[in-house]
Amino acid sequence: MTSFPSSRQTSRRRLLGGTAAGALGFAALGTAMAAGPARSQQPPSGTYRIDLHAHFLPPDYRAALIEHGHFTIGGYPTPNWSPEEAIGFMDYYGIQAQALSVSDPGVSFLGGQEAIDMARYCNTYAADLFRTHPTRFGAFAVLPMPDLAASIAEIAFALDTLRLDGVVLLSAYNGIYLGDPRFEPLMAELNRRRAFVFVHPAAIAPDAKPELPLPDFLEEFTFDTTRAATLMMFTGVTQRYPDIRFQLAHAGGTLPFVSHRIGVASQTVLGELWPDTLPRPSVLDTATQISRFYYDTALSGAPAAMASVLAVTSRDHIVFGSDWPFSAATLPQRGSHDPAPGLSDIFDADQRMEVEHHNPLRQLPRLAEAVAT
């Protein structure tokens, strides 16, 4: 598979600040490993991984992004994508199948019927992929948000007719975060269907964030996932709709780290001002809700991140994610076929098999049946 390493090298050259970001990553990894002995176990062998955080850019979708000025996504140059290159990537890194999703900005950069048509195009394209490559691809449906009526209609078509494996939602749409009461009909429908929902961060409008010389995917994406998850807890979404299984991108952003902090709100003066219409958070209740989220390993396969996740939930709520093709510049150098070697510093081989294979397939029964054939 000679084409994939050269593609990665091209992306590496194009990634602004990649060298600095890599240095920061290695420094953090060194600090985490110094805090305790690493397992340094060998991962399982073979093509076994099930990737629940992997993106695709069908031709018409990518063309529309470029036409509307989206030359970068989260500060990362908008990549090319093809089924052939995706399969090459999977073969190289021991990935049995990917559940594909559309990344930020979804289809919300379009409006009205254009957004509805583009969502249908992407979802149908994905369904065609896992009909022609049934053991290699699944997909999460993109919705024409924030149009709730059209989104609920697309859920029915995508899950009932196309048989996609779940739904992808952005953390916010036009600055309105998941958990806002305006999304209540959508959440009710997802709960009725016991849907698996992948929550992916969204870029914040330039006039709503600090002016820093850093791409959004380094920090802002993690913060936005945290905002969405916290608001869903504080407005009672995760309590009212317990049958939605939410997967939080990138190890939950910063949610594991701030898990105790957000739970003490009711013990401060804030608790006295809490609206009567909202459930009042407590340390115990917040901890329970946080433990019910699923957390993926995308760009987070390191002891510091995984130890934080394990502090707030059990290992069966961790699933593998690669974030490809947006992670192309961060993958190990050519010669290593392990896409996340840092996972072996905290998980042994059996535990990695659980995180990277068994846990994802438990959540996606259609894909599990397909890969078992």
Side-chain angles (χ1 to χ4, degrees):
M1 188 191 114
T2 57
S3 61
F4 174 66
S6 62
S7 175
R8 269 198 1 257
Q9 290 161 7
T10 298
S11 296
R12 184 179 298 275
R13 287 193 296 269
R14 294 174 65 189
L15 178 59
L16 179 63
T19 302
L24 289 171
F26 281 117
L29 177 60
T31 301
M33 293 181 68
R39 292 179 181 271
S40 298
Q41 299 288 330
Q42 290 296 318
S45 60
T47 302
Y48 69 93
R49 296 179 175 93
I50 305 297
D51 188 352
L52 297 198
H53 186 152
H55 299 300
F56 75 130
L57 296 89
D60 290 357
Y61 175 71
R62 187 182 188 279
L65 286 172
I66 299 302
E67 181 182 347
H68 286 76
H70 291 277
F71 302 108
T72 64
I73 304 296
Y76 190 100
T78 302
N80 289 303
W81 179 92
S82 71
E84 295 75 22
E85 191 168 8
I87 290 172
F89 163 78
M90 287 191 278
D91 288 345
Y92 190 86
Y93 284 108
I95 296 172
Q96 186 176 8
Q98 288 183 328
L100 300 171
S101 60
V102 169
S103 184
D104 178 62
V107 298
S108 61
F109 67 97
L110 302 170
Q113 192 62 42
E114 278 190 296
I116 294 170
D117 291 344
M118 184 59 74
R120 179 64 54 89
Y121 163 75
C122 290
N123 294 334
T124 302
Y125 185 100
D128 289 342
L129 268 181
F130 64 70
R131 290 192 182 97
T132 55
H133 305 282
T135 65
R136 305 311 299 269
F137 293 112
F140 299 134
V142 63
L143 306 179
M145 293 285 284
D147 184 332
L148 292 183
S151 293
I152 291 172
E154 188 62 24
I155 288 173
F157 182 79
L159 300 188
D160 297 340
T161 301
L162 299 179
R163 296 197 65 212
L164 270 60
D165 298 286
V167 170
V168 59
L169 293 177
L170 297 181
S171 51
Y173 295 91
N174 299 330
I176 302 171
Y177 283 86
L178 301 182
D180 189 280
R182 282 169 280 192
F183 297 142
E184 197 77 0
L186 178 74
M187 295 300 176
E189 177 63 12
L190 292 170
N191 188 73
R192 185 184 72 81
R193 291 176 170 274
R194 298 176 176 268
F196 190 85
V197 176
F198 173 32
V199 178
H200 191 278
I204 301 174
D207 60 356
K209 67 179 180 181
E211 292 186 12
L212 300 175
L214 299 171
D216 282 355
F217 78 88
L218 281 182
E219 296 178 330
E220 294 299 332
F221 269 12
T222 65
F223 302 150
D224 222 52
T225 299
T226 305
R227 294 183 188 105
T230 301
L231 189 63
M232 285 195 292
M233 290 188 292
F234 277 17
T235 58
V237 167
T238 50
Q239 293 171 310
R240 289 193 301 280
Y241 304 118
D243 290 331
I244 303 175
R245 293 160 293 146
F246 289 106
Q247 172 190 331
L248 302 181
H250 311 119
T254 63
L255 183 63
F257 179 79
V258 299
S259 57
H260 177 74
R261 185 185 183 98
I262 64 177
V264 301
S266 63
Q267 301 174 8
T268 68
V269 66
L270 180 60
E272 300 173 8
L273 304 175
W274 203 260
D276 293 336
T277 56
L278 297 180
R280 184 172 300 185
S282 68
V283 173
L284 180 61
D285 180 67
T286 301
T288 299
Q289 293 183 66
I290 289 174
S291 72
R292 292 174 178 167
F293 287 118
Y294 290 83
Y295 300 80
D296 72 48
T297 66
L299 295 178
S300 305
M306 289 297 101
S308 295
V309 172
L310 287 169
V312 299
T313 193
S314 53
R315 194 170 57 247
D316 61 357
H317 276 61
I318 303 176
V319 296
F320 173 72
S322 71
D323 210 351
W324 194 80
F326 294 94
S327 62
T330 70
L331 290 166
Q333 295 290 331
R334 185 174 183 176
S336 171
H337 293 271
D338 186 347
L343 293 177
S344 288
D345 293 329
I346 197 163
F347 299 125
D348 62 28
D350 289 341
Q351 292 167 344
R352 285 198 64 169
M353 179 63 77
E354 179 183 2
V355 166
E356 296 176 285
H357 181 83
H358 297 306
N359 292 348
L361 289 182
R362 287 191 191 104
Q363 302 310 315
L364 307 183
R366 188 213 60 81
L367 184 60
E369 181 181 356
V371 300
T373 58

